[in-house]
Structures are given as C-alpha cells and as structure tokens.
Amino acid sequence: MESSDTYTPTSSAPLSHSPTSSSSSPPPPPPPTVVMSPCAACKILRRRCAEKCVLAPYFPPTEPAKFTIAHRVFGASNIIKFLQELPESQRADAVTSMVYEASARIRDPVYGCAGAICQLQKQVNELQAQLAKSQAELVTMQLQQANLVALICMEMAQNPQESPQQSVDNFISTPPHSGGYQSGINNFFEDNTSPNSLWEPLWT
C-alpha cells in the first residue's frame, strides 16, 4: 500500500516593501519634559506655583533669602497686594524697596530704614559744611592774591625805573606801611623816655 503523503515544497519569496514605507522617515522623538521649578516664594510658602504667579518674576528660586526677608516683615499677602496694585513697570523697584526696608528693619527694629536715612543725611550735612568752608577759604585766598597783585602794581608805578623783579623784592623786604608803623613806635619810646613821664600818675 503506497503512502499518499507527498511533500510539496513551498517557495518562500522575499517580502516586498511598499514605496511609501521605505521613503518615510522615522517619527521625531518627543520633546523633553521641562519641569519648571517653583519660585522662591511658592517654595517657601509650600504651595503650587501657578503659571501667572505674581511673585515668580521677582523672587526666583535661586534667591530664597530675598523673599524670606521681605516675608518676615511684610507678610506674603501684603506683598502680593502691593504688587497687584502697581503696574508691571514699577513692581521690580517696589520689590527692591521692600527687601531693603525689611533688611533695615531686621538690623534696627526701632528705627529701621529711617535710622539709615538719618545717618546718611547727617553725613551729607557735614560734607556740605566742609565744602562751604573750603569755598570760603578759596575766596579769601583769591582776594589776598588780588590785593597782592594790586600792591605790586602800585609799587611798580611809583618806581618805574626798577625792574618788576626788583619791585617785588622791595615789596617783600619792606611791606607797605611798615615804615610808618616803625616810626610811630620809635616816637612813642622817645616821648616816654623821661623819668617824670614814666612815673606820671594816670589820674588827677
């Protein structure tokens, strides 16, 4: 009895790829997920930092001490209220002012920034007084120089034959009115050299 089982070989043809699948490039990888760090204010307050957080532009996560100082004196609610009442162009200056005032209040709980302002004003007044004194001394020196030049010119006018250098030397060696002053002193001693004049009583 013959067996009816026969082996029929099957030809395995290679799979043909469609032209569309071969020409298409692989899909691009998804963009990396950017995890936004909460601002320093929300991180300290332990709350979720919203997308339009008022405090985020002025209290970055790299400067936590900035919000800590302001929060210690003013409080978070007051800071948010101050910023919401101001236009965006003035908020940065307001935050800087609040941080400075809070720092001064922590250093000096009694006077705060007013004490620093008074100290600076005192220094300004002292410097202004020194400046006024220096200006007065400068004006005095300028007047003395002008008077000296005028006297030298008078001396040169009285002695036109002398050279300018000789006139200056004569003026320095014998200043004006020195001769009259010396002669007055001599006359005084000559009039009072007699013994009677020395012992004359001062009253009658």
Side-chain angles (χ1 to χ4, degrees), residues 62-139:
T62 56
E63 300 178 1
K66 189 176 179 181
F67 179 77
T68 302
I69 294 173
H71 173 60
R72 182 176 175 182
V73 176
F74 295 100
S77 59
N78 290 329
I79 296 175
I80 295 173
K81 182 180 178 181
F82 292 156
L83 295 179
Q84 289 177 347
E85 293 176 353
L86 293 174
E88 293 186 0
S89 59
Q90 299 178 2
R91 291 180 180 178
D93 295 335
V95 169
T96 303
S97 178
M98 283 189 290
V99 172
Y100 175 78
E101 187 174 352
S103 301
R105 181 65 61 179
I106 293 173
R107 291 194 304 267
D108 189 356
V110 178
Y111 296 104
C113 63
I117 294 173
C118 292
Q119 185 67 24
L120 293 175
Q121 187 63 42
K122 182 179 178 182
Q123 294 179 3
V124 170
N125 295 335
E126 292 176 354
L127 293 175
Q128 288 178 349
Q130 294 178 4
L131 178 61
K133 183 179 179 182
S134 301
Q135 290 176 348
E137 292 177 353
L138 179 62
V139 172

